[in-house]
Amino acid sequence: MKTFFSPAKVNLFLKVVNRRPDGYHNIASLFQTIDLFDELSIALDSQDSLTVSDPSIPCDETNLVLKAVNLFRRKTGLKFGVKANLNKQIPVQAGLGGGSGNAATTLWALNELCHFPATISQLADWSAEIGSDISFFFSQGTAYCTGRGEKVNNLPHPPSKTVWVIKPPQGLSTPEVYRNLNVSHLSSIHPEKDLNAFLDGKAPYFNDLETSAFRLMPALGELKQDLIARGFQTVLMTGSGSAFFCLGSGTPPKDKTLFCREVKFLNRHPDKWYNETIHHRATENSEKQ
Ligand code: C5P
């Protein structure tokens, strides 16, 4: 079995542009991978089997790992089975893109195990058939994404930043957060203005899904206020929640029911998966100790 790291992402800003006739929403968002990651161990085998460390996550065909296996077989016409184990660290229903990253990592791993029948850009295009946020992971870790999220513009790596990821025990359902959104309240500022301002270091961090999420889960709005009171300069929900990322020199709460993790921005080498950057960081850290 070979192990591939499957990172999480945060949305540094997320603008919802409009609701589409197909029920999805056009968004414009700056995505960034972080070094909070699941581990996918995978090998080719005679038939499919998947085990997951978290018993609350299904191991059947609804799991994005197996959806990605089926997609890869369908697109390439190759016939094989897989034996896979997913060791989860990324909380679910968090807006951290854990499942999407697992699907992208599976596609990358299969392409490697099958001796590269597809290009990276084909993997990214195919992946949009099984989820909106999967294509992003084939960028190098920083990208401006539009459409449903599947149109990906790779951006230069930003300076590495340390952020706290903090999530209450309750999660949020992405379709529910989008459904509950009041689209008549969305701003009409052109999203590229947000991107340019952000690249100049001027724009505020924002997420148009926060209001909807806080209406569905009022305790989430209270947690944000608490985190601001604890000294964090920026506290922003990622994706459709319920996790926040926090910037600045605040003190995270001691509450054991919260998921609290200090992480760094992560970017990958164009030809390598995220493993290499994560290994490199681990070696640097052990040398410092
Ligand atoms: O594409 P994905 O499976 O991640 O989307 C899950 C659900 O989230 C969709 O069925 C849709 O209800 C909502 N969604 C949306 N607009 C997006 C992405 C997701 O409305 N851009």
Side-chain angles (χ1 to χ4, degrees):
M1 298 257 258
K2 185 161 180 190
T3 299
F4 294 83
F5 293 116
S6 176
K9 58 84 180 164
V10 291
N11 298 86
L12 299 179
F13 70 77
L14 194 160
K15 182 178 186 64
V16 181
V17 177
N18 55 28
R19 184 169 284 155
R20 311 177 351 167
D22 63 5
Y24 279 90
H25 295 75
N26 284 314
I27 62 164
S29 179
L30 185 56
F31 281 61
Q32 173 65 54
T33 40
I34 53 174
D35 66 356
L36 167 65
F37 53 89
D38 298 333
E39 286 165 293
L40 174 76
S41 300
I42 187 163
L44 299 183
D45 203 355
S46 52
Q47 55 186 27
D48 290 345
S49 66
L50 171 68
T51 48
V52 184
S53 61
D54 178 344
S56 71
I57 298 175
C59 298
D60 61 11
E61 304 276 310
T62 61
N63 191 299
L64 274 160
V65 169
L66 290 182
K67 283 192 183 176
V69 172
N70 287 326
L71 177 77
F72 188 83
R73 276 195 293 243
R74 197 168 71 241
K75 294 290 183 185
T76 60
L78 295 171
K79 298 204 170 12
F80 59 84
V82 296
K83 182 181 168 64
N85 176 64
L86 187 59
N87 184 10
K88 288 295 291 181
Q89 300 293 326
I90 306 171
V92 297
Q93 291 207 310
L96 292 165
S100 301
N102 294 162
T105 304
T106 305
L107 291 171
W108 181 283
L110 291 177
N111 202 39
E112 207 175 296
L113 295 173
C114 296
H115 308 290
F116 305 101
T119 62
I120 298 175
S121 117
Q122 280 176 313
L123 297 177
D125 287 350
W126 297 346
S127 70
E129 291 184 22
I130 56 170
S132 306
D133 290 350
I134 306 173
S135 312
F136 156 69
F137 289 90
F138 295 100
S139 73
Q140 284 158 48
T142 308
Y144 176 61
C145 301
T146 56
R148 284 186 290 130
E150 88 289 12
K151 294 187 182 143
V152 179
N153 291 285
N154 193 55
L155 292 175
H157 304 181
S160 181
K161 265 198 168 66
T162 301
V163 301
W164 277 93
V165 172
I166 298 180
K167 181 194 169 285
Q170 307 86 341
L172 277 169
S173 137
T174 303
E176 207 179 335
V177 173
Y178 272 106
R179 236 187 347 260
N180 185 48
L181 181 71
N182 191 339
V183 282
S184 62
H185 287 181
L186 299 174
S187 90
S188 55
I189 297 174
H190 198 281
E192 303 230 336
K193 281 210 177 122
D194 295 320
L195 176 65
N196 291 333
F198 209 97
L199 295 176
D200 288 345
K202 288 184 202 133
Y205 294 87
F206 68 92
N207 182 341
D208 282 344
L209 295 174
E210 271 193 345
T211 323
S212 166
F214 294 175
R215 256 201 317 268
L216 289 169
M217 198 195 284
L220 207 56
E222 290 161 24
L223 176 59
K224 174 161 175 156
Q225 291 315 317
D226 178 48
L227 293 171
I228 293 169
R230 288 172 166 280
F232 290 109
Q233 280 79 35
T234 299
V235 177
L236 191 73
M237 192 178 84
T238 174
S240 55
S242 59
F244 291 104
F245 66 91
C246 311
L247 289 161
S249 47
T251 312
K254 293 255 182 308
D255 182 347
K256 289 257 186 321
T257 66
L258 297 175
F259 174 94
C260 288
R261 191 74 66 83
E262 195 176 27
V263 300
K264 284 201 172 82
F265 287 2
L266 179 76
N267 289 95
R268 69 173 184 86
H269 182 279
D271 309 323
K272 307 252 164 55
W273 200 236
Y274 296 89
N275 288 35
E276 181 151 304
T277 327
I278 291 169
H279 275 311
H280 182 69
R281 291 227 176 129
T283 317
E284 269 186 350
N285 287 342
S286 67
E287 278 167 5
K288 271 190 213 141
Q289 281 160 13

